[in-house]
Amino acid sequence: MTSHNMTWISYPSKSQPFTSQEEIEAFIASQNIISRLMHCYIAFFVPTGLTAGICILIIFIKNYLQNRRQTLDSLLLHFTISNIIMIFFSFTVITRPDYLTATHLACSVLSFFFNLGYFNSQYIFVLTLLTLLLERLPPRTALCKTTQRPILCVGFVLAYTFCLSLTEAVLVGTDNYQLEARCQLDPLFAWPEYEIVKFTFGFGIPSLLQILCFTFLLAKEAPAGAPGLQQHIRAYPAVYVTSVTMFICRLFYNIMVLFRTTLKLQRSIGTRENELVMNIAEIVLFCESCASLVVILCFHKPCKDEVLKVLQKCRRQTSADNHLEISEAATTHQSGSQ
């Protein structure tokens, strides 16, 4: 693997000079867009996503302690943890439209842990989708038996994604660790191979596996006694809605990652407009992590049932309090009349 000298690269907003009043106005407008998107994400998506994630963790852990253990819940628990990790790392966008300043080594470490959560969420969800589809196969199939051991499957995914994240950390660059730079979770100064590996193993292969799963779901007839296709999808709406959401958001993000690679290979830093769209794509990726957790909380049956129970308890408590207040008021009124 050939080492690359990436010291020439920089953000267009930090290095390109202004040549006209129109460019200054366009620059200010782009900075305002990024700033507003960041504030919207921090104010609405982060609290909602973290609240949903914590509720999911509580529900799944409670069900696990009560011996209500299901393979699907174990996989979604791991998916939830991965997305919560991504949300915490998304706090790096608080400085936008500016960037974090860190050494190449510190930025590489941040990138490693972010990629660990990113790859984990992607592959564990593919495994979740595969587990659901295998329910429509005879239970004696070897692959079906393997997916019935969630701890083994999660362990394999963790080992695989750890190796991928470690590879990405190396591809950030093995030189100039002591130098300071503006840092993103996918560093601008990373080698072009970094984005190629991330697109291939973080989006291309998982998306292909998801497409194959859906093709199998649509093409293969259900065995005798198995639920029909529509009934099967209605039984697990959270998984399929999340799958579509992840694909759309990560497609946009990975297209921009590949576009940035093209610029690097051409030894171009691009334009301020390219930088703006890349920042938008990054925030969209983080919004997807929050939205996926909300979808699971609202549509996955064990979570939805627990939420409904809590809401019903709150309504009963409110009704009981109101009834008590009315009774006390009536008693006081009767005593005053006498």
Side-chain angles (χ1 to χ4, degrees):
M1 184 172 55
T2 306
S3 178
H4 299 275
N5 179 13
M6 301 300 295
T7 56
W8 58 270
I9 201 164
S10 62
Y11 290 99
S13 64
K14 307 299 179 182
S15 57
Q16 288 182 346
F18 297 104
T19 58
S20 65
Q21 182 66 28
E22 289 76 13
E23 287 188 357
I24 296 175
E25 292 175 356
F27 172 74
I28 294 173
S30 66
Q31 298 288 83
N32 285 336
I33 291 172
I34 290 298
S35 180
R36 289 175 182 177
L37 285 176
M38 181 274 294
H39 283 99
C40 178
Y41 169 72
I42 296 297
F44 298 104
F45 283 88
V46 169
T48 305
L50 287 178
T51 301
I54 292 171
C55 291
I56 294 169
L57 290 179
I58 293 172
I59 292 170
F60 283 161
I61 292 173
K62 176 185 174 182
N63 291 343
Y64 182 83
L65 295 176
Q66 294 176 351
N67 292 322
R68 290 185 288 177
R69 305 171 186 177
Q70 296 182 4
T71 301
L72 179 61
D73 289 354
S74 299
L75 297 177
L76 288 180
L77 174 63
H78 186 72
F79 177 76
T80 300
I81 294 172
S82 298
N83 277 277
I84 290 175
I85 291 172
M86 288 184 63
I87 293 174
F88 280 123
F89 276 104
S90 72
F91 284 114
T92 55
V93 303
I94 289 178
T95 57
R96 302 295 163 81
D98 204 352
Y99 299 92
L100 289 176
T101 301
T103 63
H104 283 217
L105 177 60
C107 198
S108 180
V109 172
L110 275 175
S111 178
F112 168 79
F113 285 106
F114 166 69
N115 282 323
L116 189 60
Y118 177 87
F119 288 131
N120 257 307
S121 64
Q122 186 74 67
Y123 280 97
I124 206 68
F125 194 79
V126 171
L127 184 59
T128 302
L129 190 60
L130 180 63
T131 301
L132 289 185
L133 297 182
L134 289 177
E135 289 185 358
R136 300 171 66 79
L137 286 178
R140 295 180 181 179
T141 307
L143 194 56
C144 291
K145 294 179 180 179
T146 303
T147 56
Q148 293 303 315
R149 303 173 66 182
I151 296 178
L152 178 64
C153 295
V154 169
F156 173 78
V157 170
L158 281 172
Y160 176 66
T161 55
F162 178 84
C163 293
L164 282 178
S165 302
L166 193 60
T167 302
E168 289 288 75
V170 173
L171 293 176
V172 169
T174 55
D175 302 324
N176 305 316
Y177 275 158
Q178 74 283 0
L179 295 181
E180 285 195 348
R182 293 182 174 93
C183 178
Q184 281 182 284
L185 293 175
D186 286 315
L188 180 68
F189 54 81
W191 298 350
E193 290 88 348
Y194 174 94
E195 282 98 355
I196 295 172
V197 170
K198 182 148 191 174
F199 176 85
T200 303
F201 292 93
F203 180 76
I205 293 176
S207 297
L208 178 61
L209 292 174
Q210 289 189 40
I211 291 172
L212 290 175
C213 287
F214 279 113
T215 303
F216 174 84
L217 176 67
L218 295 173
K220 185 174 178 59
E221 294 183 3
L229 178 60
Q230 292 185 353
Q231 186 179 355
H232 178 78
I233 293 176
R234 288 174 183 172
Y236 306 104
V239 176
Y240 296 108
V241 172
T242 302
S243 180
V244 174
T245 304
M246 287 181 65
F247 179 81
I248 294 173
C249 295
R250 297 197 179 200
L251 175 64
F252 176 40
Y253 178 75
N254 280 274
I255 287 174
M256 293 311 303
V257 164
L258 273 188
F259 180 74
R260 193 168 74 173
T261 307
T262 304
L263 294 176
K264 289 181 181 180
L265 294 175
Q266 297 172 351
R267 293 190 69 84
S268 170
I269 64 173
T271 65
R272 297 186 185 93
E273 289 75 18
N274 300 147
E275 182 183 354
L276 169 64
V277 178
M278 184 66 206
N279 279 304
I280 292 174
E282 186 179 33
I283 294 176
V284 168
L285 175 69
F286 295 140
C287 290
E288 176 267 315
S289 297
C290 300
S292 295
L293 296 179
V294 173
V295 169
I296 292 173
L297 181 65
C298 295
F299 293 99
H300 185 50
K301 192 175 186 306
C303 298
K304 182 174 68 174
D305 291 345
E306 288 294 329
V307 171
L308 291 176
K309 286 180 183 178
V310 172
L311 292 177
Q312 288 175 356
K313 287 181 181 179
C314 292
R315 289 177 182 175
R316 289 172 184 172
Q317 185 65 36
T318 303
S319 300
D321 291 342
N322 291 336
H323 181 73
L324 181 61
E325 290 177 0
I326 293 173
S327 299
E328 291 178 351
T331 302
T332 303
H333 179 72
Q334 291 176 0
S335 300
S337 300
Q338 294 174 357

